[in-house]
Amino acid sequence: NIGQSPNSIPQEQINLRSATNNYGEQPQIFHQLQDQYAEARVVSDIASRVLRKKKSVAIIYRTNAQSSILEQELLRRGIKYFLARGRSFFERFEVRLALDALKLIYNPADNDAFKNVISTPPRNIGQKSIEKLERAATDGESSMFESLSKSHILLLFPPKRRQALEQFFQLFDDLTRAFRATNEIGSCADTTQDKNGQESSTNFHSPPPGSVS
């Protein structure tokens, strides 16, 4: 229960602490901290000290939402960990996809990130189209993203597929420009306005069954 001071602990927790002491175990230590980031730092500090003397330590939290900040802090400190139950925050499909989108915004020449992002959510762009674009990019000695700015490459695709590719390029080109203008990824957020003033969203979710080419 890090984050609570002794005065704010419900009476049943105080009684539990006293009962625990009766069994000869060490008393619980409560910290009053500013936010979840401070909590992650304190927990990691304690874990580091314990690991100097013991092979392992358990960190127990109430909700899965708390794991991401703890994982970030443990990774930052180089502390190896595994989740006894559940899935790591960074292994979730939507998180990996969002990270690939950020990679593409930061470095449009990252073809691996491009291939992961362009197919999800569904954009009427299937695997065959992606492979055709990759071959054209290789022949033209350019990245897949840069190839979408070349009209002679876009003409290789039928109208509907070409339109989908143009929309994808425009979306991430706008996001990349926004990032470079401020050097802050937060300026990109997860949406951008298209030319008609309509909001275009980069929603990340597991792809539905079925595919297009």
Side-chain angles (χ1 to χ4, degrees):
N1 291 317
I2 290 179
Q4 295 179 313
S5 66
N7 292 334
S8 65
I9 303 168
Q11 185 62 40
E12 59 268 25
Q13 290 184 340
I14 295 176
N15 291 339
L16 178 60
R17 180 177 60 178
S18 300
T20 302
N21 290 341
N22 291 338
Y23 285 99
E25 298 180 10
Q26 294 184 355
Q28 298 179 30
I29 300 174
F30 296 87
H31 297 269
Q32 185 174 19
L33 303 171
Q34 182 177 3
D35 53 30
Q36 64 270 37
Y37 299 99
E39 178 181 74
R41 289 193 294 270
V42 169
V43 169
S44 298
D45 282 339
I46 295 172
S48 296
R49 292 198 298 270
V50 173
L51 289 172
R52 292 172 192 159
K53 300 178 180 179
K54 298 181 179 294
K55 293 182 178 180
S56 63
V57 59
I59 299 174
I60 302 173
Y61 46 87
R62 289 187 296 274
T63 65
N64 288 334
Q66 294 176 274
S67 72
S68 61
I69 297 174
L70 281 169
E71 289 185 63
Q72 290 177 50
E73 185 64 24
L74 292 172
L75 286 170
R76 189 182 70 81
R77 294 167 181 256
I79 300 175
K80 295 181 179 181
Y81 69 90
F82 74 94
L83 299 184
R85 295 181 181 178
R87 184 170 46 173
S88 170
F89 176 79
F90 296 101
E91 292 177 358
R92 298 173 189 171
F93 175 84
E94 64 274 16
V95 174
R96 288 188 287 110
L97 189 61
L99 289 174
D100 280 329
L102 294 177
K103 288 179 184 178
L104 185 61
I105 293 169
Y106 181 77
N107 177 22
D110 189 330
N111 285 341
D112 290 334
F114 177 93
K115 286 186 285 187
N116 290 336
V117 172
I118 195 171
S119 58
T120 305
R123 308 176 195 275
N124 201 28
I125 303 170
Q127 187 59 36
K128 291 182 180 179
S129 295
I130 295 173
E131 291 172 357
K132 181 189 289 188
L133 178 62
E134 186 172 22
R135 289 193 297 269
T138 300
D139 293 341
E141 297 183 345
S142 63
S143 69
M144 296 177 71
F145 184 80
E146 183 184 357
S147 297
L148 294 182
S149 66
K150 301 178 180 179
S151 58
H152 70 280
I153 291 181
L154 288 172
L155 289 173
L156 297 173
F157 300 89
K160 287 186 178 180
R161 211 75 75 236
R162 183 164 64 246
Q163 182 182 17
L165 290 168
E166 288 173 339
Q167 290 175 345
F168 177 84
F169 175 80
Q170 188 61 58
L171 171 63
F172 275 85
D173 188 54
D174 287 346
L175 293 172
T176 300
R177 290 175 185 274
F179 168 69
R180 290 178 176 174
T182 62
N183 203 33
E184 293 181 1
I185 203 65
S187 64
C188 304
D190 63 348
T191 58
T192 186
Q193 297 293 322
D194 65 21
K195 293 181 180 179
N196 297 322
Q198 299 295 319
E199 190 177 71
S200 301
S201 176
T202 52
N203 295 318
F204 303 113
H205 51 77
S206 300
S211 62
V212 294
S213 61

